Amino acid sequence: MGYPLGIDISVVLNPLATLKAKVPRDFDDIGILDAQYCPIPLKYAKVHGVKSEYIDEIRQKLPNDNGSLLMVSKILEKRSPDTPSLQVGDVIIKLNGSLIKRIEQMACFYNQKSVEVTIVRDQEEMTLEIPTTTLSKHTTRKVVCWAGFFLQEPTPSMQQKSTTVPSQVFSFCKIIGSPCSDKTDEYNHYIIEIDHTPVKTLDDVVAIARRLKSSDAQSFNADVASNKTFSSGRMPGRDVKVRIVNMNGQEIVMSLRTNDHYFPAWQAVRGPAIEDTWKVEEL
């Protein structure tokens, strides 16, 4: 099941131009706010407590546009109560003192550890200094392949599309013909349990994959490499149950048999530096 996405090219032109002008090593200096936004028509802004002066100013600067403000619809990463942060329902008024008129103003921030955001929360206007999250934190640094599932931590875009984020193990692809390929039509989902063991992180999957690896896999593979008959009589693997949650929050349980010969488990890991390369390890 696919989730097609679309975005107006004008939204990405300015960030793209800035990215092209910078060298790759400056990537860690690009930050975002961990939030998803939805537009509010100006005619409804006053109901949320937005002052008339802000509404009038936007209308004057965008005379040929119906105009809108942004409301926080989802928080991607919850912070500690002591850290200033956005909340669902906040209406964004200003960013670093400038009135927010377009969503591209909230796209990303360069060399800013925090930004000053003026919001309306529960009919009350307030200004907060909110820490940004560097994009390097969301860069994929580990991929695990198990039973045909390709797994990684969910990206911000996938978290935005998900009704819930039950774990940090996200299936972004599967191998056709693998043990998992015909068990569900879902390509994108979260794994929350394998073989009755709760799963929260990719390290949990790695530990389970090593535990479930068939004891006769090595000898079986050696026989195949020596052109010997399949003496085991059966492909090395285990029967397991996997519990997943799809993008709509629906929980699904599937049964499959792993195949340690044709679809062995492995992980690919890279370091934090831009020049680091991927290192692949069979589990």
Side-chain angles (χ1 to χ4, degrees), residues 184-240:
T184 175
D185 293 332
E186 306 282 349
Y187 274 85
N188 302 136
H189 54 75
Y190 299 86
I191 292 182
I192 61 172
E193 185 179 288
I194 299 175
D195 195 39
H196 308 291
T197 304
V199 169
K200 288 293 183 182
T201 67
L202 293 174
D203 289 338
D204 294 338
V205 178
V206 169
I208 293 171
R210 285 175 169 152
R211 174 170 59 82
L212 293 178
K213 186 172 183 178
S214 178
S215 58
D216 61 347
Q218 187 172 358
S219 59
F220 182 94
N221 293 340
D223 286 345
V224 173
S226 302
N227 293 321
K228 294 182 179 179
T229 306
F230 291 174
S231 57
S232 66
R234 194 176 188 187
M235 289 289 180
R238 298 287 181 88
D239 294 312
V240 297

Side-chain angles (χ1 to χ4, degrees), residues 228-267:
K228 294 182 179 179
T229 306
F230 291 174
S231 57
S232 66
R234 194 176 188 187
M235 289 289 180
R238 298 287 181 88
D239 294 312
V240 297
K241 286 187 177 181
V242 182
R243 193 180 300 272
I244 68 173
V245 176
N246 65 18
M247 303 283 280
N248 296 321
Q250 179 184 9
E251 195 169 302
I252 302 170
V253 178
M254 65 176 73
S255 296
L256 57 82
R257 180 175 177 81
T258 61
N259 186 319
D260 295 329
H261 176 65
Y262 287 111
F263 300 97
W266 53 264
Q267 66 174 339

Side-chain angles (χ1 to χ4, degrees), residues 74-86:
K74 189 174 184 179
I75 299 298
L76 304 184
E77 182 176 333
K78 294 182 179 179
R79 300 181 183 273
S80 67
D82 299 331
T83 304
S85 60
L86 295 174

